[in-house]
Amino acid sequence: MAVIANDISKDVGTVYTRLFDNQSVINAESKNMVYEFETKRGERELTKMDSNVEIITAINNDLFPNIVSLAKDNLDTLNEKVQATLDKTNEIISSNNSYNIDLSEEKKALDEEWERFQAWLVKEREAVDSKFVKQLSELRDNFSDIEGLTSP
């Protein structure tokens, strides 16, 4: 009976291990997943690096010589234009420093002109007012004459 109990306990242990102890299976699956991920990642990175190498090669072979030749052709022209602009700017700055304009005489002339304009406005207003008063008195006279003719 001890032998049977021993065999039964071994069988129960084996069944228990197969059913509930999954550590080795999980380890194997995780190692397999990591391996596949790294393999796929390596392939993607390799593909990206190949496309980058192609782009850089195209730039070195096609664009770079064109850029260098355009720079050689246009750099002198650009330098001349920048120098001309700098010369004109310095000329303007030096000419502005040499002109110290005294605006007080012009301000006095403008003030005098403004005073003449205001005096002219006063005269015109007085002329309009006197004309209005004269026309008003004429209308009153005419109205009083008309009232005198119409009243019995």
Side-chain angles (χ1 to χ4, degrees), residues 124-134:
E124 288 295 316
R125 186 176 23 187
E126 289 173 357
V128 168
D129 287 346
S130 66
K131 187 176 180 182
F132 175 75
V133 170
K134 183 179 176 184

Side-chain angles (χ1 to χ4, degrees), residues 12-118:
V12 169
T14 304
V15 169
Y16 178 81
T17 303
R18 288 187 180 183
L19 288 176
F20 299 112
D21 189 15
N22 297 320
Q23 186 175 5
S24 61
V25 174
I26 291 173
N27 285 338
E29 284 294 321
S30 62
K31 286 180 183 180
N32 188 26
M33 188 177 80
V34 167
Y35 175 76
E36 286 181 8
F37 177 75
E38 288 178 350
T39 303
K40 289 179 182 177
R41 179 178 172 203
E43 289 174 2
R44 280 195 309 260
E45 289 180 359
L46 185 62
T47 305
K48 287 180 183 179
M49 287 175 42
D50 286 341
S51 68
N52 287 340
V53 166
E54 289 174 7
I55 292 170
I56 291 171
T57 304
I59 289 173
N60 282 338
N61 293 338
D62 298 334
L63 292 178
F64 187 70
N66 291 339
I67 291 171
V68 169
S69 66
L70 286 173
K72 286 180 182 178
D73 294 343
N74 295 322
L75 195 58
D76 293 332
T77 307
L78 178 65
N79 191 22
E80 290 172 2
K81 288 181 181 180
V82 168
Q83 190 61 42
T85 305
L86 185 61
D87 293 342
K88 286 181 183 180
T89 306
N90 287 334
E91 183 180 321
I92 289 170
I93 289 172
S94 65
S95 67
N96 282 343
N97 288 339
S98 65
Y99 292 118
N100 290 327
I101 300 172
D102 187 20
L103 299 176
S104 61
E105 293 178 15
E106 291 181 14
K107 187 176 183 319
K108 287 179 185 177
L110 289 174
D111 287 342
E112 290 174 4
E113 185 178 347
W114 179 250
E115 289 175 12
R116 286 194 304 269
F117 176 71
Q118 286 182 334

